[in-house]
Amino acid sequence: MRIGFGYDSHRFEEGRRLVLGGVEFPGETGLKGHSDADVLIHAIIDALLGAAALGDIGSHFPDDDPAWKDADSAQLLTEVVREVRGAGWTIANIDATVICESPKLRPCIELLRERLASVMGVGKGRISVKGKTNEGMDDVGSGKGIEVHAVALLDDLGAVK
Ligand code: MG
């Protein structure tokens, strides 16, 4: 088995739509970024790539490459899952913590889990998403952006040396 850790943060930017875990949050301020700035999926991608020792999101989808401008991060995650599986790994579970003052994530947690499980082709029981605030501390606590920490556990079922 292998564990991987992923981290990402994006600052809010007026006029952008907010997409988290492949779910759009209508009426909420979006995040600044080259792609759709889905900070939750970006952290999960880095956790998966880290566990499989396959580099990081920047090496796969460079943010100065026009190909990834406004990219749908859910599609990037699908691609990464395909690559990780192609290297002989199965996804045991994902656990992610989203830190922000807004939006409030609790009412959306089940939807996020369902969407991520569907994108990754795993059971919802393997995906955990937790939301919390930063208690008003630091830039995230003052509402400047969203930060995500994620871990991924992979199982090689004896296939990877
Ligand atoms: Mg990012």
Side-chain angles (χ1 to χ4, degrees), residues 8-10 35 37-39 42 57:
D8 198 24
S9 62
H10 284 255
S35 66
D38 190 328
V39 63
H42 293 181
I57 190 169

Side-chain angles (χ1 to χ4, degrees), residues 2-6 44 47-49 51 91 93-95 150-154:
R2 295 268 198 88
I3 192 164
F5 174 75
I44 290 173
L48 287 167
L49 290 173
I91 297 163
N93 76 301
I94 299 285
D95 183 22
V151 288
L153 189 71
L154 303 180

Side-chain angles (χ1 to χ4, degrees), residues 4-37:
F5 174 75
Y7 167 83
D8 198 24
S9 62
H10 284 255
R11 62 174 61 241
F12 287 118
E13 185 174 72
E14 290 298 333
R16 300 253 312 169
R17 65 197 182 100
L18 179 63
V19 185
L20 281 179
V23 174
E24 189 162 347
F25 287 67
E28 298 286 346
T29 304
L31 297 167
K32 183 177 175 163
H34 183 64
S35 66
D36 62 4

Side-chain angles (χ1 to χ4, degrees), residues 74-94:
Q75 280 183 15
L76 308 187
L77 178 56
T78 302
E79 213 166 294
V80 164
V81 166
R82 193 180 304 128
E83 188 174 346
V84 164
R85 288 206 174 106
W89 300 101
T90 61
I91 297 163
N93 76 301
I94 299 285

Side-chain angles (χ1 to χ4, degrees), residues 15-155:
R16 300 253 312 169
R17 65 197 182 100
L18 179 63
V19 185
L20 281 179
V23 174
E24 189 162 347
F25 287 67
E28 298 286 346
T29 304
L31 297 167
K32 183 177 175 163
H34 183 64
S35 66
D36 62 4
D38 190 328
V39 63
L40 173 52
I41 284 187
H42 293 181
I44 290 173
I45 284 176
D46 262 357
L48 287 167
L49 290 173
L54 287 171
D56 65 12
I57 190 169
S59 61
H60 287 251
F61 313 106
D63 66 6
D64 56 359
D65 184 338
W68 311 119
K69 174 109 177 73
D70 297 323
D72 176 358
S73 295
Q75 280 183 15
L76 308 187
L77 178 56
T78 302
E79 213 166 294
V80 164
V81 166
R82 193 180 304 128
E83 188 174 346
V84 164
R85 288 206 174 106
W89 300 101
T90 61
I91 297 163
N93 76 301
I94 299 285
D95 183 22
T97 298
V98 182
I99 307 165
C100 59
E101 301 304 305
S102 70
K104 292 294 173 210
L105 292 183
R106 187 157 303 159
C108 316
I109 291 293
E110 295 310 306
L111 180 59
L112 292 173
R113 292 178 62 212
E114 275 158 27
R115 173 76 175 131
L116 287 166
S118 147
V119 169
M120 297 174 68
V122 300
K124 184 183 164 192
R126 294 181 184 273
I127 307 290
S128 162
V129 178
K130 311 189 296 296
K132 62 194 294 132
T133 72
N134 213 28
E135 298 281 338
M137 294 182 289
D138 303 340
D139 283 347
V140 171
S142 63
K144 288 190 180 157
I146 302 180
E147 188 175 294
V148 179
H149 303 254
V151 288
L153 189 71
L154 303 180
D155 197 331

